[in-house]
Amino acid sequence: PFERPRAPASMASDVMARSRAADDGSMFNRPWLAFYDRRARPPPCAADVPAILRALDENSLCEIASRLGPRAFARLATTCAAFRDFVYAHDIDVWRGFCEDAFAHRESAAETAARKSRHGSYRAMFQQRLRLRTDGLYVSRNTYIKPGAKTMENAKCCHLVAYYRYFRFYRTGEFVCKTSPRRLRDEAKLLKDRAACARSNEVCHGGYTIDGEDRVRCEAIRPKSNGEWSATYFWVRLRQNKPGASNRLDVVKIAMVDGDNDPPTPTDEEWRAVDDEEALYRRGLGICAQKFDGTAEVRVANRGLSTLVFVPWDEVNVHELNKTTEEMDFYFTG
């Protein structure tokens, strides 16, 4: 004969207790309400474990995981319960290597290990600490209005012009940047190839340093037509809008310096102004813009100060930054 499945003893006793409490405190009896928020977990089954976890030993799995990269390795936790436990369990074997590679430019491996006690684990430290990502590009979309010629109906038109600023960082402390009207999917092919960047005259090369946890200073060398050189300095603030992302660079100041002149380092007030919405709005309108006659050896940029957004290599072809001005007039970075 057919038998109905029975609930576990602990669950059944709890349901009966909650049913009696409902009977005592209310006029109407609704026993099915006692089953709310109660889920019986099935026992673990060997068939639910992926074949790769059953076939390979622990050392081989850790070696494969370390070559995946932190982004792909963290995504394994969303596939199934077995991979989730595997990602959380290998803190020292895998996540320690990710932390040492991410913070190698600013500190030694011993200093990274000493910081583990503040966060509890290497995985938590990787999510909470800011880092400059090297598995993609930081991109900003800048727009301005350009007046056009009068039409046959004597109407004056204007054009919305968009251009992009691209940053790429390397683990060795090197840094390349490019300002271009071409969209992300077109420029990513050049910037992904390090040898092609070295041969291109449109790409500026330099280095970067990190002051503290979030203040980044970039310097790019640009040769001039008369044989001299000019340096472009970028001061940006690193932040993230989700744990472990490190996907935003807020531009604090951009300056072009000729010769051996000292760059105009941002003050503490300028660093704090990045979080001031009113100050950013006034800066976007050009209220505090400085004018130069072309002969000044130190010039501060008034345009191209939009926040840079990180785009991984596998998303450069489908990211919304590829949209034209007809499809998207303004991009909100968040």
Side-chain angles (χ1 to χ4, degrees), residues 36-276:
Y36 284 3
D37 299 330
R38 298 290 298 179
R39 298 181 181 180
R41 293 186 177 183
C45 179
D48 297 336
V49 180
I52 187 173
L53 294 180
R54 300 195 305 265
L56 299 180
D57 60 312
E58 198 75 9
N59 295 332
S60 300
L61 291 173
C62 293
E63 181 65 23
I64 295 174
S66 61
R67 296 176 182 270
L68 288 176
R71 184 166 178 263
F73 182 63
R75 283 185 171 184
L76 285 177
T78 63
T79 56
C80 64
F83 272 125
R84 179 196 60 196
D85 298 339
F86 178 77
V87 171
Y88 291 172
H90 293 77
D91 185 73
I92 298 179
D93 299 332
V94 181
W95 286 106
R96 180 177 62 180
F98 291 154
C99 290
E100 292 177 355
D101 292 340
F103 310 121
H105 178 63
R106 68 175 83 171
E107 62 191 20
S108 62
E111 294 174 341
T112 303
R115 287 178 173 267
K116 177 190 174 184
S117 58
R118 305 180 186 179
H119 304 275
S121 64
Y122 284 106
R123 186 177 65 87
M125 179 171 63
F126 192 88
Q127 292 181 345
Q128 297 170 7
R129 290 191 66 185
L130 296 172
R131 70 192 190 282
L132 281 174
R133 300 182 59 174
T134 59
D135 56 334
L137 295 174
Y138 287 92
V139 188
S140 68
R141 185 178 187 266
N142 305 273
T143 57
Y144 64 93
I145 302 297
K146 179 181 179 181
K150 291 185 178 180
T151 62
M152 297 296 294
E153 292 80 9
N154 201 22
K156 190 175 182 179
C157 62
C158 61
H159 305 281
L160 180 63
V161 183
Y163 66 96
Y164 306 86
R165 197 184 298 278
Y166 301 95
F167 284 6
R168 185 187 178 185
F169 298 93
Y170 298 96
R171 298 178 181 176
T172 57
E174 299 176 71
F175 152 80
V176 295
C177 65
K178 183 180 181 181
T179 303
S180 171
R182 303 177 62 188
R183 287 181 290 176
L184 173 61
R185 66 165 64 97
D186 301 324
E187 293 294 347
K189 300 176 183 178
L190 171 64
L191 295 173
K192 190 175 183 179
D193 189 353
R194 193 167 185 174
C197 291
R199 295 190 300 264
S200 177
N201 296 327
E202 300 177 352
V203 180
C204 298
H205 301 260
Y208 67 92
T209 56
I210 302 177
D211 183 11
E213 289 291 325
D214 58 349
R215 296 186 177 184
V216 184
R217 176 182 180 271
C218 306
E219 178 183 358
I221 305 299
R222 187 191 306 269
K224 302 176 66 175
S225 58
N226 56 2
E228 299 180 355
W229 57 273
S230 175
T232 303
Y233 293 87
F234 303 92
W235 290 274
V236 293
R237 196 269 306 270
L238 179 63
R239 63 179 175 90
Q240 57 189 9
N241 61 357
K242 60 183 69 174
S246 297
N247 54 355
R248 296 292 186 271
L249 286 178
D250 297 323
V251 179
V252 179
K253 197 173 188 178
I254 302 177
M256 286 74 70
V257 180
D258 296 337
D260 297 331
N261 295 279
D262 296 330
T265 305
T267 61
D268 292 338
E269 183 180 355
E270 291 176 323
W271 284 103
R272 290 191 297 267
V274 179
D275 296 322
D276 189 353

